[in-house]
Amino acid sequence: KNVFIVSVGNSYDYAALGVTHHCPNDLKIMSSIPNFKVFCPGNSYEVKRIIDENISCESPKYIRLSETENNLDKIKSSYEDLEILKLDRNGICIIVGTAIKDFNKLLESNLKTSLVYTNRISDFDVGKLNSIMEENRIKTNITVVEPCYESGLVYKIATNIKNIESINSISIKNEFINKYGTKSQIDEYLQLDDLSIINNINRTYGN
């Protein structure tokens, strides 16, 4: 059916209301349903683009919204899925949706890895990722930064890209989060705020 299902309060956006409002594994659950198109947009510009591009698609669509937005649309007036934001042959880091909020801070960091961005989960373009790495001679040291427990992207990449040197995920751990507070407070507690993620990427790529 041609329908859009839109969620709000993903992962632990509603942590102030208690742990029963946490749902960090929705992307994996929804993308496991056959024929579902699953998106994790990072800002309102992307939400509009997703709807415009898929309005005639007969498949059901799931759009995951958060109380926070990233600022990539303020830095780049337009951008494609998996567009190279930074090029470095040491490896490649895939940023998903709202995993990073301040792209200025990310791009200004001296990260020794290529950076690309996606909001696609079910339709993640593994072929394009492979082409980017081959054409730019990027080592297959791959990191996925995602604002959830597990979206399924790591498995999809690991089973479709040949000769991977390393692959890891910076994401919500598969454990019970027994904390109240704001989303930003839980981000800091889990070391998934922007600065902690950047430091983690630095350690991963030996900076």
Side-chain angles (χ1 to χ4, degrees), residues 31-170:
S31 60
S32 69
I33 303 174
N35 203 38
F36 247 90
K37 293 171 70 70
V38 179
F39 301 92
C40 183
N43 52 61
S44 54
Y45 161 76
E46 292 176 24
V47 175
K48 182 179 185 304
R49 190 174 69 184
I50 289 168
I51 293 173
D52 289 345
E53 291 178 353
N54 292 275
I55 193 69
S56 299
C57 176
E58 288 302 314
S59 298
K61 281 79 62 176
Y62 176 72
I63 300 177
R64 180 195 218 237
L65 300 186
S66 173
E67 71 173 26
T68 59
E69 294 190 53
N70 68 41
N71 61 352
L72 186 57
D73 60 324
K74 306 298 190 299
I75 298 171
K76 300 178 70 69
S77 58
S78 64
Y79 48 91
E80 298 180 359
D81 186 64
L82 289 179
E83 183 169 322
I84 298 173
L85 304 176
K86 180 183 183 298
L87 183 60
D88 190 295
R89 292 181 177 175
N90 191 42
I92 192 161
C93 188
I94 302 149
I95 310 297
V96 180
T98 55
I100 287 285
K101 271 67 73 180
D102 189 350
F103 272 81
N104 283 313
K105 185 184 298 183
L106 180 72
L107 295 173
E108 290 169 0
S109 302
N110 188 28
L111 298 174
K112 302 302 181 183
T113 179
S114 296
L115 297 171
V116 296
Y117 174 81
T118 189
N119 59 41
R120 299 182 186 182
I121 305 301
S122 58
D123 290 346
F124 181 79
D125 196 339
V126 181
K128 183 174 181 179
L129 176 66
N130 190 56
S131 295
I132 289 172
M133 290 190 293
E134 288 185 349
E135 291 170 5
N136 295 283
R137 299 180 181 179
I138 299 171
K139 293 180 181 179
T140 53
N141 298 318
I142 303 170
T143 298
V144 181
V145 184
E146 44 195 351
C148 57
Y149 153 54
E150 184 182 337
S151 66
L153 292 188
V154 171
Y155 176 80
K156 186 176 292 187
I157 293 167
T159 54
N160 286 279
I161 300 292
K162 296 180 179 180
N163 303 316
I164 291 178
E165 296 182 42
S166 67
I167 184 167
N168 72 293
S169 172
I170 299 174

